[in-house]
Amino acid sequence: MRKALDIALKDVKRTFRDLPALATMLAAPLVIAVVLGSAFGGDKGFSIAPTKVVVADLDTPATAAAPDSGAAAAAAPTQATEDSTANGGSVGSAVVQALTSEGLQALLVVKQVDTQKQATDQVDAGEAAVAVIVPAGLTAGLQSGDTAGEITLYRDPTKTIGPGIVNAVVQRVIARVNGAAAAGGAAAQLAVADGVTKPADIGPLASQAAQSYLQQAQARPAMAVDAREPKVSAADKTKDVGVAGPVLVGMMIFFMFLAASNVARSILDEDANGTLPRLFTTPTPRGVILAGKFTSVFLTVLIQAVVLMVAGKFLFHIDWGGLAPITVLTLVGAGVAAGFAVFLMSLARTPGQAGAISSGVFLVMALAGGNFIGTANPGGIFGTVRLITPNGWLLKAWDTTLRGGSLGDVALPVVVVAGFALLTFLIGVAVFRRRFA
Amino acid sequence: MRFVEVRRLHKQFDPPKGTVAVDDLSFGIEQGEIYSLLGPNGAGKTTTISILSCLLRPTGGEATVAGASITGDPAAVKRALGVVPQELALYPDLTARENLAFWGKMYGLRGQQLDTRVDEVLALIDLSDRQKDRLESFSGGMKRRVNIGAALLHKPRVLFLDEPTVGIDPQSRRAILDGIKDLNRAGTTILYTTHYMEEAQELSNRIAIMDHGKMIAEGTHEELVRSVGEEATVTLSVDRDLDRSLAIWCSVEGVTSAEAQDDRARLLVGDANAVVPRLFETANREGIRITGVNVAEPNLETVFLALTGRALRD
Ligand SMILES: Nc1ncnc2c1ncn2[C@@H]1O[C@H](COP(=O)(O)OP(=O)(O)OP(=O)(O)O)[C@@H](O)[C@H]1O
Ligand SMILES: [Mg+2]
């Protein structure tokens, strides 16, 4: 139907005009692949002059935010149990800690200042490429659950890569914190189900759950790639795949899910800002309108995947494998990302809720699926656990393809992933059709 | 049958306990007419428009638009209809032209025909020179005009406009009202909602006054005003002797009643033009100093006040 395609193309156009969205879709996976690649001790081609970053962490109490808190913060998680306002517990310190983490030291030079003005002044004066401003009271606001805070990136418009890295890192922290907020919410709900009714009792439970989620996430940081070499099992084809391909595939799949949820969220956005109701007043059947929205999700991640693969080929000389398997894998990958995104959006009432749910779920799926350790089969229980997620199956299939496997070799994962895609998509469509009937 | 026919329409949100937003509403609009729904916030204007544009299902009653039933044949209703929603419903990151082209496609226009119509509508809303700019860079009044333009591409036979002039400057408002009159002259039947009585008065052939989901009066502006009597209210302030002044004015020819209200004299008079000079003459003779005067001819505001005991605007 022409109109469905018109709707989808309109969305794709809007996405490609949205610079922050593009940075997350395209720049972030490439940059993180570079970072992870160098952590693997890979190609020499991965070298970038370090970017100067200023951080104004107004969120963490002054005592904790000493100028050299990089090292201090790294040791913080244990003490956070005692005192929830200590630096280990604040979003601000989590950002600082992530930016100063070991893997990024060659890429980012981080300096802390006390005020927002000092930070932006340094960028204006060209002394730093990007300023990260964590507003005062962000953590407290999130814990009490009544304010949605915002971390500001103030960047030198002429620099791209450095701010891109910083953006990606901050995004990750935010995803983690959103997960924590979700955990807090879940704990509060469980408590209510168990008969706890006083708000004064629920609050602490929620913040406890959020705290412990944060600590777990910190104890097991997504990028701590303990320098594991890709293990090649005897059954695998034996082509040498290098590091760039596996690493980029991991990032690509993770960011495809994020991009898909971004686009799928526009269904809720359009509902909230009136364009969806307005579409319903035109002589366009509702089914066609929803089909258009779903097509736009699929199309966007498909374009994203193709761009990333082409970039990988030219920037990192990745040999992706046979045309047939990579085409099919790209299609089912985009399909499953779109399906999951539509499904998760259908569970949310508001765009804000949708953002929190999807970034939480996709981060957990990526952690469980092994997106942050490339395509290598980690073996052991983790090798089994990851197959609960479509991410795990996709990584397994891409590993085979990168090693020169044929379409037949990836048939099982392809079928499983397509199943995931179909199931989530159908549930999502059913829910949306009912909601907008 | 009238071009738009509404019979005993009823809408309750979240029944059985929710708000009854539209309550037993009936009216008809002739082809070529401008018909206004005038009512305060929460009167049910937007809910009525949403039902008539097949966005909401009524919980009772029936309506037809251009001969098609809103429940039986919504597709036909939507083809005949252009809807300008109360809130801006556009894409801020697309240009004016792209927005219009997109909505044109949703009404089934393509290719050369679409291009021509987009050009025509851009000229109509006077934004041809800004067509390549994104909407986010537009002023409030310009966005409002695009919001209207997006409903005009397919030359609808019926146009619903839901408070299209809220929150904009007098100049843009003037342009919009004139544009609506032009569309009507070209044959478009229009249902207009507003809570500005001046707009209802200027535009409409007929006006329905709504309150709490119900229609409380309907007719031409003259009919409505006449229904509450034709007397004007003259309010006079005096520096002292209010009681004596009232007693004197009471007997002036043409004054039907006089009473004190908030330290001022409030008189009902038949023909203000003839009576007011007489009031001044008498005051002069009696040595009463008038420090302020206000003449209010009867208007829709008076009608609303007479029917509900409340002011139209809060
Ligand atoms: N989706 C909804 N759910 C529940 N109640 C609603 C909903 N939409 C409107 N209402 C209620 O219905 C009543 C009529 O609202 P409506 O928006 O139709 O008024 P209106 O005349 O358009 O007012 P305004 O001039 O402020 O736009 C109000 O009491 C409102 O609170
Ligand atoms: Mg309204």
Side-chain angles (χ1 to χ4, degrees), chain A residues 2-4 6-7 10-11 13-15 17-18 270 273-284 286 289 437, chain B residues 53-55 78-79 83-85 88-95 98 102-103 105-108 110 134 147 150-151:
Chain A
R2 291 276 302 266
K3 285 185 184 175
D6 288 331
I7 292 173
K10 178 260 303 169
D11 279 349
K13 191 191 270 175
R14 295 182 68 201
T15 304
R17 273 187 194 170
D18 179 3
E270 287 213 43
N273 66 27
T275 44
L276 192 64
R278 185 172 204 160
L279 275 168
F280 289 148
T281 69
T282 67
T284 314
R286 297 193 177 205
I289 294 170
Chain B
S53 40
C54 314
L55 265 182
K78 291 174 185 177
R79 277 194 299 274
V83 183
V84 179
L88 294 175
L90 300 163
Y91 301 103
D93 42 11
L94 298 185
T95 68
E98 286 166 341
F102 174 74
W103 292 106
K105 285 178 194 160
M106 292 303 111
Y107 281 102
R110 307 264 152 207
R134 291 193 197 179
N147 200 39

Side-chain angles (χ1 to χ4, degrees), chain B residues 45-46 86 162-163:
Chain B
K45 305 181 294 293
T46 300
Q86 178 170 0
D162 195 0
E163 306 206 30

